[in-house]
Amino acid sequence: MGDYPSSSTDATAGGSGVTGRHARSAGTGVSPSSYEPPIGGGDGLPKKARFSMESGFRGLSTAAGAMVLVIIVAIAIFLISKAVPALRADTVNFLSYKQWFPNDTDPKFGIAALAFGTVLSSVIALIVAVPIALGIALFLSHYAPKRLANPLGFVIDLLAAVPSVVFGLWGRDVFMEPVRDFSVWLNKYFSWIPLFGGDGPFGRSILLGSLVLAIMVLPIVTSLSREVFQQTPGMNEEAALALGATKWEMIRTAVLPYGKPGVIAAVMLGLGRALGETIALALTLGTVFAISFNVIENGGNSIAANIANTFGEANATGRGALIASGLVLFAITLVVNMAARAIIYRRREFRDSAA
Amino acid sequence: MAKRIEASNVSSYYGSFKAIDSISMTVEPKTITALIGPSGCGKSTFLRSINRMHEVLPNARIEGRLTIDEQNIYDPDVDVTAVRRLIGMVFQRPNPFPTMSIYENVVAGLKLNGVKKKSALDDAAEQSLKSANLWNEVKDRLNRPGAGLSGGQQQRLCIARTIAVEPQVVLMDEPCSALDPISTLAIEDLMFKLKDRFTIIIVTHNMQQAARVSDKTGFFSIDKTGDPGRLIEYDDTQKIFSNPTQKKTEDYITGRFG
């Protein structure tokens, strides 16, 4: 290794002293006369360390990545292995039957009404929540003064921290009254629209469940959308303004198109939460097994709420049936997610080329 | 098509910080005026004051009087979006809208102004891209993303977008500073061509560029950091670069400071 070790000893010796910088530069062999390649010398290249931070970290991150797959597969196996025997025992068509009697000696149960209720309540929740959430997000990111935007954003994030059982109880004991009054009003003036028809009783309806869900998904959609709106490049906003755009036109030209994929992702996360929401819906829906577009009459049910409501008294077939319904919920969520990805993917070319 | 810009005693502020102090100059129609000077001397601030982009930043305000053909740009009754339509701007870094195609980028301003007819938009897009010397390079891929072009092409796309709304004045804020020499040359050629139709004011750090393209040159400077920028000298470009009146100007253009 020639002179190299000795000069490096010098460097270490002076390292803590005042001459540290100078000594170190000598140690790395900058001066041409004493230069030796720091690796190898004449004895060939040094061997690579067999165990190092590098391979250790790579192993850890690979394991973490693989774990996701393992968990997904394990869940799938669990759901399928429990669901299949129950589905075999089912004496009616699982996909089209509306009632839920899996604990009888002749088990009869079907997913139709539950899946319908799940999707309907989630869709209404999004229809209500998304415009409001986008409005709040735009207000916070582009209209509100910073002094107001930060505390308000914090309050909205706080809303996301409220446990869903609290939302459910509040919805059942407090929010139901105004929703019932509103339903009666809707029924009085708009009963010609099938959504608002019927003769009552009103209150514990899809509408109540959906509105509670809307409040629950509002903070997710708001804070994610706000985040993407804030990331709009300033130079694109300025470009729009310099073309003579008003503030709203600037938002339409620069901010909304730029944020669209992020907003879609936010909406899908909100939809995911709405579809999977259990306890709030179990407390607010009327637990009726029927397919009806009437949103104000007592009624409605969802897959997750049904699992929560009936799991306690279920026998082995009953539990299997509930797990089968969980599998359907899983499939619905999967389809929704894939649809969202497809929407984002379609305009990918425009995203990737953006600087 | 082109209008005269007059500034008298224009001072611009960011909050309590005074960025430029009492700038007065007259820019004649159908000329190219270059603003040169060291960094932080307020050239860009002055430029952004002309089309009221300065006030987009929080707490920014200006004092003094700016007119376009005798009309006060800062009159409280004036629609600020109309001012910006009249006085277009090209920015330092090419900034095409990333979600839009080449075509959509060019007609974005027209769509904002309510032009809806497809044939009118098509014509305007072709004319503007031709004026910006970009038509031949992009005519076969108008539906491709604008951000997929090279830097120089993107900047010409931005110029096409700016001139598509038929402004009277075009402001350029260091339009070539992010571009290579060949793209720079393409933009300079373009400026000569646009001079027949527009009044052009360009901020540049490149003194050769100022000498090459401009009819008049304004030299901005500051005494020290934190002081407001001042217009030291404003004259014919030839005079500024051959025989400046002010010692400071001479020092700057001969490379003694800045």
Side-chain angles (χ1 to χ4, degrees):
Chain A
M1 294 286 269
D3 289 342
Y4 183 68
S6 70
S7 63
S8 119
T9 319
D10 282 348
T12 326
S16 55
V18 202
T19 56
R21 187 166 302 167
H22 177 74
R24 198 156 40 240
S25 75
T28 47
V30 182
S31 82
S33 59
S34 67
Y35 180 77
E36 282 283 335
I39 45 166
D43 306 334
L45 295 170
K47 294 276 177 289
K48 132 178 124 177
R50 194 166 297 173
F51 297 104
S52 64
M53 287 289 282
E54 197 61 34
S55 54
F57 187 75
R58 187 215 298 243
L60 272 178
S61 54
T62 311
M67 195 142 79
V68 176
L69 285 178
V70 171
I71 291 172
I72 289 268
V73 170
I75 290 176
I77 290 174
F78 160 78
L79 288 176
I80 292 168
S81 68
K82 296 281 181 183
V84 165
L87 289 175
R88 285 239 171 85
D90 198 356
T91 54
V92 290
N93 187 329
F94 176 70
L95 291 179
S96 62
Y97 193 66
K98 293 178 203 157
Q99 298 296 317
W100 197 261
F101 304 114
N103 302 322
D104 298 358
T105 39
D106 271 348
K108 287 193 172 91
F109 57 92
I111 198 72
L114 291 175
F116 175 81
T118 305
V119 173
L120 182 65
S121 57
S122 301
V123 167
I124 295 176
L126 284 185
I127 290 173
V128 174
V130 168
I132 300 175
L134 293 185
I136 300 175
L138 279 178
F139 175 71
L140 292 179
S141 64
H142 283 85
Y143 285 96
K146 242 195 167 68
R147 270 178 308 137
L148 184 65
N150 287 337
L152 207 58
F154 178 72
V155 170
I156 288 175
D157 287 343
L158 213 60
L159 201 60
V162 176
S164 53
V165 64
V166 174
F167 274 115
L169 288 172
W170 171 80
R172 197 180 68 158
D173 293 345
V174 181
F175 197 43
M176 192 170 82
E177 289 304 320
V179 169
R180 178 184 293 149
D181 296 343
F182 181 56
S183 302
V184 169
W185 181 84
L186 279 175
N187 185 249
K188 192 169 168 193
Y189 294 102
F190 296 100
S191 55
W192 47 274
I193 304 175
L195 287 175
F196 308 128
D199 320 305
F202 306 116
R204 291 195 62 170
S205 56
I206 288 271
L207 185 66
L208 175 64
S210 298
L211 289 179
V212 171
L213 273 187
I215 298 170
M216 293 172 69
V217 300
L218 191 71
I220 305 175
V221 182
T222 303
S223 43
L224 287 175
S225 309
R226 177 196 184 194
E227 205 75 23
V228 292
F229 291 154
Q230 275 174 338
Q231 282 166 9
T232 313
M235 59 182 195
N236 287 326
E237 297 183 5
E238 290 206 326
L241 289 174
L243 285 171
T246 61
K247 187 141 198 177
W248 167 237
E249 288 169 337
M250 179 274 278
I251 286 172
R252 245 179 28 202
T253 315
V255 178
L256 292 181
Y258 182 84
K260 193 172 141 197
V263 169
I264 292 173
V267 170
M268 288 308 142
L269 268 180
L271 184 56
R273 171 150 199 205
L275 287 170
E277 180 46 44
T278 307
I279 199 70
L281 284 181
L283 288 167
T284 51
L285 290 182
T287 327
V288 169
F289 291 89
I291 293 183
S292 159
F293 277 102
N294 187 319
V295 298
I296 58 171
E297 274 190 312
N298 277 6
N301 209 342
S302 84
I303 295 175
N306 182 55
I307 294 176
N309 281 333
T310 59
F311 200 84
E313 62 229 34
N315 60 21
T317 316
R319 283 200 293 276
L322 290 174
I323 286 166
S325 73
L327 203 59
V328 173
L329 183 58
F330 183 63
I332 293 175
T333 320
L334 204 67
V335 168
V336 164
N337 266 312
M338 275 158 52
R341 290 205 176 258
I343 295 172
I344 296 169
Y345 188 83
R346 217 156 33 109
R347 299 275 292 180
R348 195 176 58 123
E349 169 183 52
F350 282 78
R351 297 284 302 170
D352 286 354
S353 54
Chain B
M1 276 305 293
K3 292 198 172 182
R4 173 185 290 106
I5 296 278
E6 267 184 285
S8 47
N9 297 316
V10 172
S11 303
S12 300
Y13 297 81
Y14 296 98
S16 58
F17 172 69
K18 196 179 198 178
I20 51 173
D21 182 33
S22 277
I23 308 283
S24 299
M25 60 164 38
T26 302
V27 177
E28 295 298 333
K30 298 190 182 181
T31 59
I32 299 180
T33 301
L35 306 179
I36 59 170
S39 296
C41 67
K43 309 175 298 279
S44 293
T45 304
F46 178 65
L47 198 73
R48 290 170 63 97
S49 300
I50 298 176
N51 70 341
R52 295 186 63 169
M53 282 300 285
H54 177 62
E55 67 198 42
V56 168
L57 302 167
N59 298 321
R61 65 196 167 85
I62 91 152
E63 285 168 3
R65 189 177 158 82
L66 262 164
T67 60
I68 176 165
D69 273 10
E70 319 291 324
Q71 292 170 285
N72 186 356
I73 291 169
Y74 280 87
D75 188 316
D77 292 337
V78 161
D79 178 5
V80 58
T81 62
V83 169
R84 292 181 190 146
R85 232 166 282 162
L86 222 54
I87 309 175
M89 186 164 209
V90 176
F91 293 83
Q92 185 170 354
R93 286 187 54 201
N95 57 356
F97 297 117
T99 53
M100 293 187 191
S101 67
I102 294 170
Y103 176 86
E104 288 168 327
N105 261 290
V106 179
V107 301
L110 290 170
K111 279 191 173 161
L112 285 173
N113 294 337
V115 180
K116 289 202 180 75
K117 239 174 87 187
K118 181 86 169 65
S119 58
L121 292 174
D122 288 351
D123 286 351
E126 181 171 346
Q127 282 313 313
S128 309
L129 284 169
K130 277 181 176 161
S131 300
N133 293 339
L134 191 62
W135 176 252
N136 287 330
E137 291 159 63
V138 302
K139 63 183 175 201
D140 301 323
R141 44 175 175 151
L142 290 174
N143 292 319
R144 308 280 301 158
L149 298 172
S150 75
Q153 289 172 324
Q154 283 188 31
Q155 193 62 299
R156 276 179 284 153
L157 176 62
C158 292
I159 292 175
R161 181 177 66 185
T162 302
I163 61 180
V165 293
E166 298 282 328
Q168 311 283 338
V169 178
V170 176
L171 309 176
M172 297 185 172
D173 190 357
E174 299 182 41
C176 303
S177 65
L179 306 182
D180 66 277
I182 292 177
S183 306
T184 300
L185 203 63
I187 305 264
E188 286 180 12
D189 286 345
L190 176 55
M191 278 191 253
F192 279 119
K193 193 169 137 192
L194 296 178
K195 195 173 117 170
D196 294 341
R197 292 162 58 200
F198 306 102
T199 307
I200 299 176
I201 306 178
I202 172 175
V203 164
T204 177
H205 271 128
N206 180 336
M207 276 181 279
Q208 286 80 14
Q209 182 171 58
R212 276 195 302 264
V213 301
S214 68
D215 304 296
K216 288 221 171 196
T217 298
F219 171 61
F220 282 65
S221 189
I222 44 171
D223 292 334
K224 59 181 194 317
T225 313
D227 282 0
R230 289 198 174 81
L231 181 62
I232 305 295
E233 192 169 354
Y234 176 51
D235 214 326
D236 292 339
T237 297
Q238 204 174 3
K239 174 119 189 340
I240 292 268
F241 282 95
S242 57
N243 184 21
T245 322
Q246 302 288 324
K247 175 89 171 54
K248 244 185 153 167
T249 315
E250 192 182 337
D251 286 352
Y252 184 72
I253 59 169
T254 52
R256 242 168 271 169
F257 90 102

